[in-house]
């Protein structure tokens, strides 16, 4: 029979749970697989399945329902004392409970004398939940469902990469920014003597017996020294296929060519899963294959993961070309086929840096691309012009506009008009002449800038000079810069009303 337990404040009672997933296990390629039909498995019998299952470690505050969690696998279980330290220490990671509770419920299956003795030394009362106490069952179910859902957004499905998704999971399950959120309830109901600060890691771990076993496969304390085992703080996600150690792999032009052929097949593949598998195979053949990282980054819907993949692609491309290549062929990139994977990765990296707020770094990469390929086959000058405009880097923008004086695109012409308006202190006849040239190049732009038309959610894939598609793409990229320039939109509207524009100077 289910019993109801009542607590009066936060951190009065925590619940510890270690649960083997009945749906997620690890494939031979290291990726997580979700099986719809549940597998009858628990922490006591997981060895029988001969699979590497996902394992959840959860500390839940009984009063508020707020919790912290970590994941591991049955092949790399976390020492329980390390997880308790992680859960109760404040640390640098954003967390949704911390501090030692007055008491903690520990299921019989993971209990041990050493665990109880260590908790008593720390001043935490250990308790076995009475029969019928359904500790954490709903949390595991909700975790499973949400992890299965958000894994669709990323391309690297190894267990350690769930760490990258933890913030999203917490926001969904705890609603930390809402009035009725579980984390807010936890914060608002802490008594004056809570949260109780946990001691330092070494002092904390020394309360527990290294040789104590908590159950089949579970370890209470890691046998490693404290310098080598610091709780969960070093459990950072590795790069796809270990590419962070790319220099450890001998370069082979033949293997790189084979990998590139696979990536070309991947770009033509009809399904996302096939594209991902082919890209992973390419990296297995050659971790120097920059295009494989580019494809994975393009398929990822997680900005941080895409950023990391593009960084790896840039590193792989640069190592494949070699430093001497950069010195010898700077200015001729893109016309040499071998440079294109690197340039694609660099463009993607700059885009991700811009989206994550690292704007000056993004601009520096765009400038580097134009240095390597001044003929600009990728159209980076348009991207750079809009970014310089939005960042208010008018001197740099003026130089770029001068270098592209004969460019007929509406991007350069409208940006030149806005740049002149800015640098002249509010516009003059020369600014109006620039605006006249811009309007004559593409009259579709002004309705989007002035809000008479909305930029569509789905941007056009192709454009032509003077067409509405070109206007949409420009307005989407530059509208904010026009809005942020005092008086610019009013000046545009006035100039359009008082046509004709001035004659050429």
């Amino acid at each position: 029979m289910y019993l109801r337990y009542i607590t009066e404040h936060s951190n009065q009672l925590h619940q510890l749970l270690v649960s083997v997933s009945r749906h997620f296990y690890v494939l031979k390629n290291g990726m997580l697989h979700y099986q719809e039909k549940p597998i009858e498995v628990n922490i006591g019998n997981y060895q029988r399945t001969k699979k590497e299952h996902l394992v959840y470690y959860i500390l839940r505050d009984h009063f508020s329902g707020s919790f912290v969690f970590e994941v591991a696998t049955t092949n790399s279980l976390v020492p329980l004392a390390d997880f308790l330290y992680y859960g109760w220490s404040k640390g640098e990671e954003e967390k949704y409970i911390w501090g030692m509770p007055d008491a903690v419920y520990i299921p019989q299956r993971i209990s041990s004398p050493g665990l109880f003795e260590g908790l008593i030394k720390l001043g935490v009362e250990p308790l076995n939940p009475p029969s019928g106490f359904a500790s954490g069952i709903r949390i595991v179910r909700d975790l499973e469902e949400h992890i299965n859902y958000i894994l669709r957004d990323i391309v690297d499905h190894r267990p350690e990469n769930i760490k990258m998704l933890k913030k999203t999971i917490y926001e969904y399950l705890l609603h930390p920014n809402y009035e009725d959120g579980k984390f807010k309830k936890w914060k608002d109901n802490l008594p004056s003597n809570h949260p109780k600060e946990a001691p330092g890691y070494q002092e904390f771990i020394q309360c527990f017996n290294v040789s104590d076993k908590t159950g089949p496969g579970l370890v209470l304390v890691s046998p490693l020294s404290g310098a080598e085992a610091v709780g969960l703080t070093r459990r950072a996600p590795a790069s796809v296929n270990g590419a962070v150690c790319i220099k450890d792999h001998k370069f082979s032009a033949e293997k790189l060519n084979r990998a590139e052929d696979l990536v070309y097949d991947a770009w033509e593949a009809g399904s996302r899963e096939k594209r991902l598998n082919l890209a992973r195979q390419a990296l297995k053949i050659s971790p120097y294959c920059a295009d494989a990282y580019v494809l994975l980054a393009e398929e990822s819907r997680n900005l941080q993961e895409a950023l990391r993949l593009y960084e790896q692609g840039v590193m792989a491309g640069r190592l494949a070309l070699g430093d001497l290549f950069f010195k010898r062929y700077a200015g001729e990139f893109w016309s040499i086929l071998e440079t294109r994977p690197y340039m694609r990765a660099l463009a993607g990296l700059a885009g991700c840096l811009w989206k994550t707020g690292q704007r000056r770094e993004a601009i520096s990469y765009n400038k580097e691309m134009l240095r390597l390929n001044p003929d600009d086959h990728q159209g980076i000058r348009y991207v750079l012009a809009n970014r310089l405009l939005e960042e208010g880097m008018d001197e740099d923008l003026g130089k770029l506009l001068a270098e592209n004086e004969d460019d007929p695109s509406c991007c350069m012409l409208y940006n030149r008009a806005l740049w002149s308006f800015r640098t002249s202190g509010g516009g003059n006849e020369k600014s109006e002449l620039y605006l006249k040239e811009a309007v004559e190049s593409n009259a579709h732009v002004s309705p989007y800038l002035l809000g008479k038309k909305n930029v569509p959610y789905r941007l056009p894939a192709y454009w032509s000079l003077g067409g509405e598609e070109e206007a949409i793409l420009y307005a989407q990229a530059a509208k904010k810069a026009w809005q942020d320039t005092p008086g610019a939109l009013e000046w545009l509207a006035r100039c359009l009303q008082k046509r004709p524009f001035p004659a050429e100077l």
Side-chain angles (χ1 to χ4, degrees), residues 14 25 114 124 174 190 212 241 245 248 271 285 302 304 308 366 394 414 482 485 498:
H14 284 178
Y25 61 88
V124 177
L174 299 179
L190 285 166
D212 186 77
N241 293 305
C245 303
D248 296 339
S271 74
I285 295 171
N302 181 285
Q304 291 301 323
R308 193 173 76 244
N366 289 147
D394 290 335
Y414 274 92
W482 281 83
T485 302
K498 74 171 191 178

Side-chain angles (χ1 to χ4, degrees), residues 355 386 448 454-463 468-479:
K355 290 175 184 176
N386 290 327
Y448 289 103
N454 293 322
V455 173
Y457 177 77
R458 188 183 294 275
L459 297 176
Y462 304 98
W463 60 274
E468 188 159 8
E469 294 82 4
E470 182 194 30
I472 290 170
L473 292 170
Y474 173 72
Q476 187 271 338
K479 188 173 183 178

